Amino acid sequence: MRTEVLSNMENCFGYIDENYKRICFDMEEAKAKYRKLHEEISLMAVTKTVPPEAVNHAISCGIQLLGENRVQEYTSKKDFYDTSASVHFIGHLQTNKVKYIIEDMDLIQSVDSIRLAAEINRHAERIGKQQQILAEVNIGGEASKSGVCPEMLIEFLEEVAKMPNIRVKGLMTIPPPGENEKFLCKMQQLYLDISSKNMDNIDMDVLSMGMSGDYAKAIQYGSTLVRIGTGLFGARKYK
Ligand SMILES: *Cc1c(COP(=O)(O)O)cnc(C)c1O
């Protein structure tokens, strides 16, 4: 029994090794083609549904950044994680759950309302932290998705910039499936527009876009951080 579990785990580790190498190769290739030499592009491993052993294996391959979607899943897994990687929150975050994750997150990427930002600011102040965040943008204007709509983004950023315990570091998006190149391009435009405004207390250092299906394209359109789940760990059994 024990040997069987181990050999399954080893198969799974070999699979992650190969995926990791391929993703790094693809990223380098896209970067060489479309980006400047000094630009850095981070690779995040998205851990939803993935057991901590596999997450730790990805860290041993070279992953330095984890992306967490669900508060409860994260809190049940975090004690088993290798703590050398930094952790970002990327899932929809309810205001009443901010308190469970705020101490651990280097960046909360999925901030999509003033109410959520205010709650993050309140807890950050309580624990004496300046929490870095990204504004999540609903670039396709999809009713089913969270995110600030592009037309409201400046106003949103101006409000959040007033909150002393929050620092906006950039933007995050999940483009609609299908026409995603058009939206990657639109997102890059928006990011560059906002960068050029040099808004007070707002940094545009991070453009988080690109997942397993479109990370090379996202790099073409200026992404600084790609978030990979299935491409690294394989298909998820549930969402
Ligand atoms: C699941 C998820 C990803 C990764 O998606 P894959 O297609 O599995 O690579 C990236 N970003 C967010 C916000 C996610 O929820």
Side-chain angles (χ1 to χ4, degrees):
M1 189 59 192
R2 172 93 185 134
T3 28
E4 193 182 310
V5 170
L6 266 181
S7 88
N8 281 343
M9 202 61 95
E10 276 159 21
N11 286 344
C12 153
F13 287 176
Y15 178 73
I16 294 170
D17 292 340
E18 278 172 34
N19 290 337
Y20 177 74
K21 281 186 208 139
R22 193 197 65 248
I23 292 163
C24 290
F25 180 86
D26 291 347
M27 286 178 68
E28 280 303 317
E29 193 176 55
K31 192 186 153 193
K33 210 158 160 187
Y34 298 110
R35 303 286 289 274
K36 299 199 180 75
L37 212 56
H38 65 85
E39 293 185 290
E40 280 186 33
I41 302 163
S42 311
L43 168 57
M44 165 190 282
V46 175
T47 67
K48 58 185 181 243
T49 82
V50 179
E53 295 80 5
V55 173
N56 289 342
H57 185 73
I59 294 171
S60 76
C61 290
I63 288 285
Q64 295 173 333
L65 175 60
L66 307 178
E68 296 293 322
N69 280 79
R70 293 183 192 82
V71 171
Q72 213 181 346
E73 185 180 333
Y74 171 68
T75 54
S76 71
K77 282 169 24 181
K78 69 171 193 169
D79 291 342
F80 303 97
Y81 282 168
D82 176 337
T83 54
S84 66
S86 57
V87 187
H88 292 181
F89 199 80
I90 60 170
H92 183 67
L93 182 56
Q94 288 170 282
T95 50
N96 62 351
K97 302 230 168 111
V98 171
K99 55 177 177 287
Y100 300 117
I101 57 142
I102 187 150
E103 289 187 53
D104 297 343
M105 297 299 154
D106 290 317
L107 186 66
I108 300 177
Q109 295 202 0
S110 43
V111 179
D112 60 354
S113 72
I114 294 296
R115 213 175 127 242
L116 176 58
E119 190 65 3
I120 292 170
N121 184 60
R122 191 170 76 80
H123 283 286
E125 185 184 3
R126 180 178 58 81
I127 64 169
K129 179 181 188 183
Q130 192 182 52
Q131 179 64 57
Q132 302 198 336
I133 68 159
L134 302 182
E136 181 175 351
V137 179
N138 186 352
I139 194 67
E142 296 168 284
S144 63
K145 266 193 195 138
S146 41
V148 180
C149 64
E151 298 73 28
M152 302 291 288
L153 186 59
I154 299 283
E155 203 180 312
F156 177 81
L157 293 173
E158 282 169 349
E159 268 317 295
V160 176
K162 295 175 193 159
M163 300 179 185
N165 287 76
I166 283 190
R167 185 78 188 188
V168 177
K169 299 303 290 178
L171 306 178
M172 182 269 234
T173 197
I174 308 172
E179 311 159 276
N180 90 357
E181 183 156 3
K182 172 175 133 194
F183 289 105
L184 293 172
C185 179
K186 218 174 149 183
M187 193 65 209
Q188 179 179 37
Q189 224 38 66
L190 191 60
Y191 179 77
L192 294 174
D193 283 351
I194 292 172
S195 302
S196 70
K197 288 192 197 318
N198 290 316
M199 295 173 69
D200 287 343
N201 297 324
I202 301 284
D203 303 324
M204 283 292 131
D205 299 335
V206 182
L207 175 56
S208 172
M209 67 178 186
M211 314 202 300
S212 297
D214 63 354
Y215 63 93
K217 274 271 174 245
I219 290 171
Q220 180 180 342
Y221 289 102
S223 171
T224 71
L225 189 159
V226 296
R227 309 178 308 262
I228 313 283
T230 50
L232 187 61
F233 297 113
R236 290 179 286 271
K237 291 192 182 68
Y238 56 97
K239 279 197 151 182

